Amino acid sequence: MSMLDAERGVNISRSRFVGELLVAILLARMPVISLPFNWLESYFHEISHALMTVITGGEVSHLELLSNGAGYCYSVGGWPVLIGMSGYLGASLWGYLLYSLTQWPRGIRVSYTLLAFIIALSTLLWARDGLTMLILLCISAVFLLPLRFASASWLLTLLRVIGLVVMLNAILSPLVLLQVSAQGDGQLLAELTWVPSLVWVGLWCSVSVCCVYLCWHRIDKQASLTLK
């Protein structure tokens, strides 16, 4: 591997990726332990709703994260179809971004500090209750860790796993909607568009699976180049 290749990203073996993916799957499904990761996915889900609301001309009242890992975005106006679509789609893309940034050694401090700033700003703008504020401040603190431990292998592993868990939860959470009638983004979109909620759930899950695959493809490509 050349010095240029090393500067482009962090090389991870295929087996390490699979191991981290298995850990992420366990963390996404284990009771209690999964709760902090559920808050992460819920935040990125709700902030995606909030950003799309603002982009389409609406107004966000506040965000709320609950003790059970669920979350809500309270808003008025905007384009309901795009707002409804954006939650799970956004969570998948945020998770992919989190994972991808760990492959950018030179920019990880700046990029994760920017993420922490975005979360802190959304706390100031849209958090109203103590629990939501506390959760968001903790998430911000995690994303500031690269300022001190940017080259630490344990931190890069943690951030990769966090990205994978967010993507996996963006797969698992929509599937829950199939078991709950008359609730959730899928049902809302079905009422707005006449497209069955099953189609929306399939779309969201497909995007999330594609994001996980793109992470694997990147690692697989790096591994192939290293062997040459």
Side-chain angles (χ1 to χ4, degrees):
M1 179 182 62
S2 68
M3 184 63 69
L4 180 60
D5 292 331
E7 292 176 350
R8 285 175 178 170
V10 178
N11 285 324
I12 305 168
S13 67
R14 297 181 181 94
S15 60
R16 187 179 183 89
F17 176 86
V18 172
E20 291 175 354
L21 181 61
L22 291 175
V23 170
I25 292 172
L26 290 175
L27 290 175
R29 303 307 298 167
M30 292 179 67
V32 182
I33 294 177
S34 65
L35 191 55
F37 299 96
N38 291 339
W39 280 327
L40 274 164
E41 191 272 338
S42 290
Y43 169 72
F44 288 119
H45 179 109
E46 303 308 334
I47 196 64
S48 297
H49 281 317
L51 292 175
M52 187 57 69
T53 298
V54 172
I55 290 171
T56 57
E59 181 177 347
V60 177
S61 169
H62 63 282
L63 303 178
E64 182 180 11
L65 299 179
L66 306 181
S67 58
N68 63 0
Y72 294 97
C73 174
Y74 298 91
S75 63
V76 293
W79 190 356
V81 174
L82 287 180
I83 295 170
M85 288 175 56
S86 64
Y88 292 112
L89 287 178
S92 300
L93 296 176
W94 281 108
Y96 179 69
L97 176 64
L98 292 175
Y99 192 95
S100 298
L101 290 176
T102 65
Q103 302 290 294
W104 185 28
R106 289 187 169 184
I108 191 170
R109 286 189 178 92
V110 174
S111 59
Y112 269 89
T113 299
L114 179 59
L115 284 172
F117 173 77
I118 291 172
I119 296 169
L121 181 61
S122 65
T123 304
L124 291 173
L125 292 175
W126 297 320
R128 299 290 182 269
D129 63 284
L131 178 60
T132 300
M133 292 179 184
L134 178 61
I135 292 171
L136 296 184
L137 289 176
C138 289
I139 295 174
S140 295
V142 171
F143 289 162
L144 286 174
L145 287 176
L147 286 176
R148 177 65 178 83
F149 305 103
S151 59
S153 60
W154 65 266
L155 177 60
L156 294 178
T157 298
L158 172 63
L159 295 176
R160 287 195 300 269
V161 169
I162 286 175
L164 288 170
V165 173
V166 171
M167 286 182 277
L168 290 172
N169 277 335
I171 298 172
L172 298 172
S173 296
L175 294 177
V176 176
L177 298 180
L178 297 179
Q179 306 170 18
V180 183
S181 59
Q183 293 186 27
D185 295 344
Q187 183 61 32
L188 171 65
L189 288 170
E191 294 173 357
L192 290 171
T193 65
W194 295 85
V195 177
S197 59
L198 178 61
V199 175
W200 295 109
V201 171
L203 171 64
W204 293 325
C205 291
S206 297
V207 171
S208 300
V209 169
C210 286
C211 287
V212 175
Y213 172 76
L214 288 174
C215 293
W216 160 256
H217 179 71
R218 184 169 187 167
I219 299 306
D220 183 57
K221 184 177 179 180
Q222 287 179 346
S224 299
L225 290 174
T226 302
L227 292 175
K228 291 182 179 180

